[in-house]
Amino acid sequence: ILGGKPAKAGNFPWQALTAIHGRGGGALLGDRWILTAAHTILPKGAGGNNVSLEQLAEEANVFLGHTKVEELHKMGNHPVRRIFIHPDYDPKDDYNFNGDIALLELKHPVTLGPGVLPICLPDTTNTTFYMDGHVGYVSGFGVEKNFISNKLKYVSLPAVAREKCQSWLDSKKRGLPMIFSENMFCAGFLTVKRDTCQGDSGSVFTVLDTGSGRWVATGIVSWGIGCAEGYGFYTKILNYLDWIKGIVREE
Amino acid sequence: SSPVPRKLFGEIRSPGYPKPYPNNNISIWNIHVPKGYVVKLTFKYFDLEPSESCFYDYVKIKADKKNLGRYCGQLGSTTGNHPGRKEFVSKGNRMHLAFHSDFSNEDNGTVIPYRGFLAYYQAVDLDECDPNNAVEEEERPQCQHFCHNYVGGYFCSCRTGYQLQSDHHSCKVECSSELFTEASGYLSSPEYPQPYPEDLRCNYSIRLPKGLSIILKFLEPFEIDDHQQVHCPYDQLKIQARGRQIGEFCGTESPGSIETNSNEVDILFLTDESGFSRGWKIHYTSEKIRCPQPVPRDQFTIIRDLQPVYQFQDYFVVSCKTGYNLMEGNRKLLSFTAVCQADGTWHQSMPRCEIVNCGSPTDLTNGAFIYVNEPANNSYQSVITYQCNKPYYDIVTGTGGDSFTCSSEGTWVDQDGQVRIPTCLPVCGKPVSPITEVQR
């Protein structure tokens, strides 16, 4: 998290710290599901690594319940029973993060409390959260000023209109042919140094639904070109509600 | 003289009958019927020479050493003694008939052919029991107690408590093993209400089927030799039921009515060598033995159709009020019936009713329950309410709500009668400490 603030205990009780292929983030759904980015489980450009999802589940580490990494580790790992990767996600396509969404089913339900609470999912009809300028908050244990953070940080970022996101992408001279699909949205600033960064992947972009008074996850930290050099790109959760509910209800 | 064969009937004819009888004839007939009968003789036809006092020709009839008459003449004759339709009956089983004809049957020089007689006799049963029929004092039937006549004979019997002796006439007290098996009856001391004999060892046994109880009711008078200071030293009336003595009586005060609660009763009457008391008499009856009136052990027990009296083979059914279980020890019963046995006891003892216990309510994951009413227990009609650990969980209930009551079936049920408990679901998006932006 660049340009953010330290989170206090209980600010983002849904925040999960993952350690699957390096540091990542996630969000608690209900009392036994972790919503995260698919690329934290199957990184792009990993080559011919043919580890099965069962083995990845066995080896995955998930931590919940604190804002300090050291304390999180002390509180213990939450074992993973199964991993669900969205079928649209292609780990071999380096430039297309479409379907960058995954669910981890914990072996044991967690007991909720002040430090561990789930995030809500958006209403299927509510698209206002993605409108240009709608502010949301992202938390994470990712990199800040080239150092990986040992404490949870958060930053507020506005959602950005799709055309602005695409326009900015097109203007990038690096030549990375990144795909901006309809299943994504971007948020952040072009010049203000506030952004998410490596290590924040999988954490959720949340907004406060003033109608219900609840915090709602609208996006998942997915990709960007550098950090704080422009907009960040997020998986649009609204488009994956059916997939999420289908897995959670069946399991 | 010819003996008449011992037949039950026959006829006797004058010599030559129906031809005129000869002169100078004496004929004798001894009619002898079997013992137990008497002879009854009638003349079918009688035609003898009439004479004054039957001096000339006659028929003389004798029986039981008595003359029954001397007869002669013709029907309608003024002299003589015609027997007509008269029946001659002996007292014994013999009758003697004698016919006598003189030297002629002339009347004024005319020979009249008198034909003689034709008589019929039959044996008629002698009622030996009628004292009027006794031939002689010593031959009178001497049944000491009862005489029973039958055709051709008789026999004697004795009163209760007496035994016919070998002479078949005399009766001696015999009461050592009197047995009564009828549902009711009478028994008394010998000779009652006359003074009872001495040296008695009487034993009267009443034996009825199991399940019946014998009731003894003493009638008046009641009189057994006694002593002012010593209890029953001379004569004793002992009553035993099932081998156990329930009383020893003497004196003049009647024991009244005794319920023995037994189907087997023995009454022993022992007398010494003297005394002049009138004895006793008992009317015994029986009824089905009774069982104790069933009494509930607690206020929750219901005895269906309670009867005022329970007797052998009666039964009662027990149930409990709603919310209570029938218990026998630690065992729950689905039903209970007790039957009154032949010995006057119930075949099962009364159960008790214990309040239904639903056990501890199911624990609610991420929640808890509280008892709503007092006392806080798991008994019938106790109420609990489930709650979730707020603010992290919210309760989701069925249509029956979050309150559960301990039902009469022993389960916790909601207001719709369902047993499924609520669920605690996570509350999303409500951090305890949400971020608060201050500076603007």
Side-chain angles (χ1 to χ4, degrees):
Chain A
I1 301 292
L2 301 177
K5 300 173 186 175
K8 295 176 186 170
N11 284 168
F12 301 93
W14 46 80
Q15 180 69 48
L17 172 67
T18 66
I20 305 174
H21 290 285
R23 176 169 294 189
L28 179 67
L29 292 179
D31 61 357
R32 67 194 73 190
W33 295 93
I34 301 295
L35 181 67
T36 188
H39 79 263
T40 63
I41 301 163
L42 298 179
K44 291 185 184 289
N49 194 348
N50 292 324
V51 179
S52 67
L53 286 180
E54 287 76 20
Q55 192 169 348
L56 283 172
E58 192 66 33
E59 297 169 354
N61 289 320
V62 175
F63 302 92
L64 291 163
H66 211 282
T67 56
K68 293 181 181 177
V69 171
E70 185 178 347
E71 295 304 321
L72 274 171
H73 290 163
K74 286 180 184 176
M75 288 169 76
N77 173 43
H78 292 269
V80 174
R81 173 177 280 126
R82 281 184 73 178
I83 295 176
F84 298 85
I85 305 286
H86 195 280
D88 290 348
Y89 175 75
D90 184 1
K92 295 183 181 142
D93 190 345
D94 293 345
Y95 305 112
N96 188 352
F97 282 79
N98 190 54
D100 190 13
I101 185 170
L103 283 167
L104 309 178
E105 182 188 9
L106 302 179
K107 278 188 180 177
H108 314 292
V110 298
T111 301
L112 305 182
V116 182
L117 289 172
I119 189 66
C120 300
L121 292 173
D123 192 317
T124 53
T125 61
N126 198 337
T127 58
T128 59
F129 300 141
Y130 301 98
M131 291 174 68
D132 187 60
H134 196 293
V135 174
Y137 293 80
V138 187
S139 55
F141 291 97
V143 166
E144 183 192 30
K145 296 177 181 178
N146 299 320
F147 283 91
I148 200 156
S149 178
N150 290 323
K151 293 181 182 176
L152 184 66
K153 307 275 282 290
Y154 74 94
V155 66
S156 63
L157 300 170
V160 175
R162 295 193 63 79
E163 48 277 13
K164 290 183 185 175
C165 303
Q166 187 65 62
S167 174
W168 178 78
L169 264 180
D170 293 341
S171 70
K172 295 301 291 183
K173 296 295 193 257
R174 284 196 189 177
L176 295 173
M178 302 304 297
I179 302 296
F180 176 50
S181 75
E182 61 184 5
N183 298 317
M184 307 172 190
F185 71 97
C186 81
F189 303 92
L190 286 178
T191 54
V192 177
K193 299 297 178 185
R194 280 153 63 172
D195 198 2
T196 55
C197 199
Q198 275 64 42
D200 292 322
S201 292
S203 297
V204 289
F205 187 103
T206 60
V207 298
L208 176 62
D209 182 353
T210 52
S212 63
R214 296 175 186 267
W215 288 85
V216 175
T218 59
I220 303 172
V221 176
S222 183
W223 60 277
I225 301 176
C227 296
E229 292 181 19
Y231 300 129
F233 290 81
Y234 302 83
T235 304
K236 190 174 181 181
I237 290 177
L238 186 67
N239 290 6
Y240 292 99
L241 290 178
D242 290 340
W243 179 79
I244 293 170
K245 289 175 183 175
I247 288 176
V248 169
R249 282 179 185 161
E250 185 172 334
E251 291 299 306
Chain B
S1 169
S2 53
V4 177
R6 204 184 297 197
K7 301 190 300 182
L8 294 176
F9 60 91
E11 66 178 29
I12 297 174
R13 297 167 180 248
S14 54
Y17 181 88
K19 292 180 180 172
Y21 54 82
N23 297 325
N24 295 313
N25 183 273
I26 297 175
S27 297
I28 295 172
W29 296 269
N30 286 311
I31 303 170
H32 187 191
V33 296
K35 221 158 174 51
Y37 295 88
V38 296
V39 180
K40 184 165 87 172
L41 182 87
T42 55
F43 287 95
K44 174 75 174 169
Y45 180 81
F46 191 91
D47 181 39
L48 261 64
E49 182 186 13
S51 60
E52 200 65 40
S53 303
C54 297
F55 185 75
Y56 300 142
D57 300 342
Y58 58 84
V59 171
K60 191 158 68 174
I61 303 172
K62 275 172 74 171
D64 312 313
K65 297 180 183 176
K66 291 179 185 170
N67 280 322
L68 298 183
R70 181 165 163 151
Y71 302 89
C72 64
Q74 294 172 312
L75 199 63
S77 61
T78 53
T79 56
N81 184 19
H82 195 278
R85 293 274 181 249
K86 186 175 181 178
E87 291 179 345
F88 298 91
V89 181
S90 64
K91 286 193 184 300
N93 64 333
R94 294 172 187 269
M95 186 176 280
H96 174 85
L97 226 70
F99 169 72
H100 176 267
S101 65
D102 65 3
F103 61 94
S104 78
N105 287 333
E106 284 182 19
D107 184 23
N108 292 331
T110 304
V111 175
I112 299 174
Y114 295 102
R115 284 194 166 177
F117 67 86
L118 172 64
Y120 291 121
Y121 73 90
Q122 60 181 336
V124 174
D125 174 59
L126 170 64
D127 183 358
E128 295 88 339
C129 298
D130 186 349
N132 297 326
N133 291 336
V135 175
E136 291 177 1
E137 278 297 323
E138 57 272 20
E139 289 186 18
R140 186 190 320 180
Q142 293 286 340
C143 291
Q144 185 172 349
H145 287 172
F146 305 116
C147 179
H148 308 273
N149 180 54
Y150 63 90
V151 174
Y154 73 100
F155 64 90
C156 300
S157 69
C158 301
R159 292 197 297 271
T160 303
Y162 288 83
Q163 195 172 48
L164 190 65
Q165 299 301 293
S166 57
D167 64 0
H168 301 294
H169 286 88
S170 57
C171 297
K172 187 182 174 186
V173 169
E174 175 47 58
C175 54
S176 63
S177 57
E178 298 291 300
L179 179 63
F180 299 83
T181 59
E182 295 296 316
S184 64
Y186 291 86
L187 51 151
S188 65
S189 52
E191 302 297 335
Y192 182 91
Q194 299 302 315
Y196 49 79
E198 60 271 12
D199 294 322
L200 290 178
R201 293 293 178 265
C202 294
N203 185 352
Y204 306 90
S205 299
I206 305 173
R207 295 288 184 269
L208 300 182
K210 283 188 178 179
L212 294 179
S213 173
I214 297 167
I215 302 157
L216 306 175
K217 186 180 176 186
F218 283 85
L219 307 178
E220 292 291 344
F222 177 85
E223 205 176 88
I224 299 175
D225 282 358
D226 69 342
H227 192 280
Q228 292 291 332
Q229 279 84 39
V230 181
H231 177 67
C232 302
Y234 306 123
D235 304 337
Q236 306 91 34
L237 177 67
K238 301 179 183 181
I239 298 179
Q240 299 174 344
R242 277 210 203 101
R244 186 176 60 85
Q245 184 159 306
I246 60 175
E248 185 179 273
F249 307 99
C250 60
T252 55
E253 190 173 335
S254 168
S257 183
I258 300 173
E259 288 192 25
T260 65
N261 290 321
S262 172
N263 63 314
E264 296 177 354
V265 171
D266 292 296
I267 298 165
L268 305 176
F269 186 49
L270 310 172
T271 67
D272 64 3
E273 67 281 358
S274 65
F276 207 72
S277 296
R278 288 183 287 174
W280 52 269
K281 185 170 184 178
I282 293 171
H283 176 214
Y284 81 87
T285 56
S286 61
E287 64 173 22
K288 281 187 176 180
I289 199 165
R290 294 187 183 190
C291 279
Q293 191 69 6
V295 176
R297 286 174 63 176
D298 49 60
Q299 57 184 327
F300 312 110
T301 302
I302 301 169
I303 300 175
R304 272 192 233 163
D305 302 324
L306 189 66
Q307 297 173 193
V309 170
Y310 286 90
Q311 294 175 306
F312 174 52
Q313 295 177 328
D314 286 342
Y315 65 93
F316 67 90
V317 176
V318 172
S319 61
C320 296
K321 291 183 179 176
T322 303
Y324 293 83
N325 287 328
L326 268 175
M327 300 295 293
E328 189 170 58
N330 291 329
R331 193 166 62 98
K332 181 179 166 185
L333 305 176
L334 297 177
S335 65
F336 180 86
T337 306
V339 180
C340 182
Q341 301 181 109
D343 63 356
T345 63
W346 293 104
H347 94 283
Q348 290 192 98
S349 57
M350 180 72 72
R352 69 180 194 283
C353 287
E354 206 171 80
I355 193 166
V356 165
N357 190 301
C358 292
S360 193
T362 306
D363 286 330
L364 178 62
T365 304
N366 297 314
F369 59 85
I370 58 168
Y371 291 92
V372 173
N373 49 5
E374 291 289 336
N377 56 32
N378 298 322
S379 302
Y380 173 61
Q381 292 188 320
S382 284
V383 180
I384 60 162
T385 299
Y386 279 104
Q387 298 171 334
C388 290
N389 296 336
K390 287 182 180 296
Y392 316 117
Y393 296 92
D394 255 352
I395 194 165
V396 176
T397 68
T399 55
D402 56 6
S403 288
F404 282 69
T405 305
C406 178
S407 70
S408 59
E409 283 77 38
T411 56
W412 292 98
V413 295
D414 64 14
Q415 292 177 11
D416 289 347
Q418 301 301 311
V419 299
R420 189 170 176 174
I421 67 170
T423 306
C424 291
L425 292 184
V427 174
C428 71
K430 289 278 193 179
V432 173
S433 305
I435 52 172
T436 309
E437 301 278 24
V438 177
Q439 57 182 346
R440 301 187 182 182

